[in-house]
Amino acid sequence: MTPQLPILGIDLGTTFCCVSYVGADGRAVVVRDLEGGETTPSVVFFNGSQASFGRRANARRHDLTNRVFRFFKRDMGVPAARLSGKYQVLGFDYQAAGLQALLLRYLRAGAVAHFVQAGLLAAEAAETAVIEAVITVPAYFQEGQRRETRQAGQAAGLRVAGIINEPTAAALTYGATLEKEQTILVFDLGGGTFDVTVMRTGPGRAEVRASNGAFELGGKDWDELIEQYIKQEYRQRLGRPVPDELVWQVQDAALQAKIALSDAPQAQVRLDGGAGVLELTLDRAAGAGFAFGKPAGAGPAFAFESRSQDLLTKCRTILQLVLTEAGLGWNDIDEIVLAGGASRMPMIGRMLAQESGRALTLARPGFSYDTAISIGAARYASQQTAVTDVVAHSIGIELLDDAGRPFVEALLTKNTPIPQAVFEDSFEADAHATLKVYEGEGTAVRDYPRGPLGVLQLGNPAGPVRVRLSQDAGGVVQASVSYDGQTVEKTIEPFGGSLNLSELSRRVQAVRLELP
Ligand code: ADP
Ligand code: MG
């Protein structure tokens, strides 16, 4: 008999993934991927019907004859029709969820190899082992994106034990280093998403007070500031736009320069190819590049921090919003916890110090920006911790006002604690009526440009219908409808964007993984 395997905590990041578990001794173990890394770049490279992943896939990005995918997490939940074949390979549209599934299959393979090596799993049983995982998602993810994440896990051959918010997971890891409870603010600036969460945490507990963020804000946007500058200088100095075959090089150079600027006040960029050689010096701060002999008043040509002001303002706005939503001021916050690789940029720490009026502790023993989310998910999976999360977006239904005009009434409001988030009420409804369910904020139907989340079929009531909506810890909306003394459990039937899970699983399992 094989002993029960530990449940994995998987941080399925936009740019990097990390896998860990809590061992029998209660300590967290980070599982190295098949290339030996603690984190795995979220990159999938297709060579015909074969796929490779991580650093190996990243190294092949320059091969323009094959398809390579990055940042697909940003398209989770977007209906395939809107992406017009963006994720199509050999005639099959994997959608973002299919690529997540492939990546998860690769991470699963790494975990299986680890379990075998650690003596937790017999080599003969490796093929058929049931691997369970808790997968993390941005707090700001909507119901459809959460559901697709769960389905991606299933298509990858994982048993998905739960979905948990990334900042909550980071807080659990941080909380484990504490002796008593604190109110903390988790600032998670990853590669493609940004989340801010205020919560109460301590050893073995996390209770979220408020959470907000942006899907489309992350380190990638800072890369693009540098990319734009390189492209502009290329055109100006070499007399033509950057040729297609150099685009990857520009992206790499921008990324490396950004990272270099976290450690040094200046970084060099060198681009060789196409129309000639381009050499640039980038400065971190305005004023840093002054040298004797330069005309007075001339700032550096490229000052990274000055150009980042708009992005920093976006971060600041969300930061202030979350505090307001939590009903707290900076004085109530005991600690600011940084997560996400892009939080390493010095301008982030400085902005937070200015906003909060305090010095920040940037390094903490036992807490790493890169592994904290995965370890927190593993702690949650091992039930070492109790979590109270909140509703990320209000859930409402469409009703008619006295004049017969439709409006949206919020039933579960944003930031209500889960699992207490339950709404119940009675409505007069016609036979076979459908309730349109919306996710987001606002009372007008036009406040929901993506349309309804889904519908709730009411059946054939003889009198008033009692509708009950609730949200589980993973953010999935449950519904039940009762009338004539019967209760019917319902799941909300999503509009569009829903995947055919069995087809997707079959396709994902048919791809040959090229393992290192
Ligand atoms: P995700 O959660 O999106 O997978 P991570 O939290 O791992 O991402 O953060 C990845 C982002 O952090 C990338 O944009 C990466 O370039 C950036 N990053 C990593 N290290 C540094 C650094 N030293 N300085 C600035 N940015 C960094
Ligand atoms: Mg992340």
Side-chain angles (χ1 to χ4, degrees), residues 75-87 93 95-96 145 148 450 452 495-499:
D75 287 327
M76 286 293 277
V78 180
R82 277 213 229 146
L83 295 169
S84 61
K86 185 172 174 188
Y87 299 117
D93 191 342
Q95 307 188 32
Q145 297 169 302
E148 281 197 3
R450 282 187 177 199
F495 271 129
S498 66
L499 299 169

Side-chain angles (χ1 to χ4, degrees), residues 181-241:
E181 290 213 342
Q182 288 189 346
T183 301
I184 65 167
L185 181 141
V186 181
F187 184 98
D188 179 6
L189 187 62
T193 51
F194 174 51
D195 266 320
V196 184
T197 301
V198 171
M199 61 186 105
R200 204 59 206 156
T201 188
R205 206 178 84 87
E207 187 187 322
V208 179
R209 293 288 162 82
S211 196
N212 215 316
F215 295 140
E216 302 253 319
L217 185 59
K220 189 173 187 279
D221 298 296
W222 272 265
D223 294 355
E224 282 168 8
L225 293 177
I226 302 181
E227 278 169 36
Q228 279 161 16
Y229 177 67
I230 297 176
K231 285 182 182 159
Q232 169 205 318
E233 291 301 299
Y234 192 98
R235 200 179 313 114
Q236 243 169 41
R237 298 190 195 188
L238 302 176
R240 57 169 142 130

Side-chain angles (χ1 to χ4, degrees), residues 36-223:
E38 279 202 333
T39 58
T40 307
S42 310
V43 186
V44 180
F45 172 86
F46 276 92
N47 179 5
S49 61
Q50 208 164 275
S52 57
F53 305 87
R55 276 164 292 276
R56 197 184 173 85
N58 226 353
R60 293 177 173 178
R61 301 207 321 265
H62 313 271
D63 176 349
L64 296 179
T65 58
N66 283 296
R67 299 222 58 185
V68 60
F69 300 102
R70 306 191 301 163
F71 300 113
F72 38 85
K73 182 174 175 179
R74 281 185 162 183
D75 287 327
M76 286 293 277
V78 180
R82 277 213 229 146
L83 295 169
S84 61
K86 185 172 174 188
Y87 299 117
Q88 194 154 325
V89 180
L90 297 177
F92 180 70
D93 191 342
Y94 285 87
Q95 307 188 32
L99 296 178
Q100 294 283 52
L102 282 166
L103 190 55
L104 285 165
R105 245 191 94 192
Y106 176 68
L107 298 174
R108 181 188 185 278
V112 166
H114 171 96
F115 285 147
V116 169
Q117 219 200 354
L120 293 170
L121 180 64
E124 315 82 70
E127 286 281 309
T128 55
V130 175
I131 306 292
E132 278 192 90
V134 167
I135 305 174
T136 65
V137 294
Y140 209 57
F141 252 24
Q142 294 185 312
E143 137 99 3
Q145 297 169 302
R146 290 164 190 269
R147 193 175 36 230
E148 281 197 3
T149 303
R150 182 181 283 276
Q151 291 175 326
Q154 292 163 342
L158 291 165
R159 183 176 288 168
V160 183
I163 299 282
I164 173 178
N165 289 338
E166 287 160 12
T168 308
L172 290 176
T173 305
Y174 172 78
T177 69
L178 296 178
E179 271 158 21
K180 61 178 180 47
E181 290 213 342
Q182 288 189 346
T183 301
I184 65 167
L185 181 141
V186 181
F187 184 98
D188 179 6
L189 187 62
T193 51
F194 174 51
D195 266 320
V196 184
T197 301
V198 171
M199 61 186 105
R200 204 59 206 156
T201 188
R205 206 178 84 87
E207 187 187 322
V208 179
R209 293 288 162 82
S211 196
N212 215 316
F215 295 140
E216 302 253 319
L217 185 59
K220 189 173 187 279
D221 298 296
W222 272 265
D223 294 355

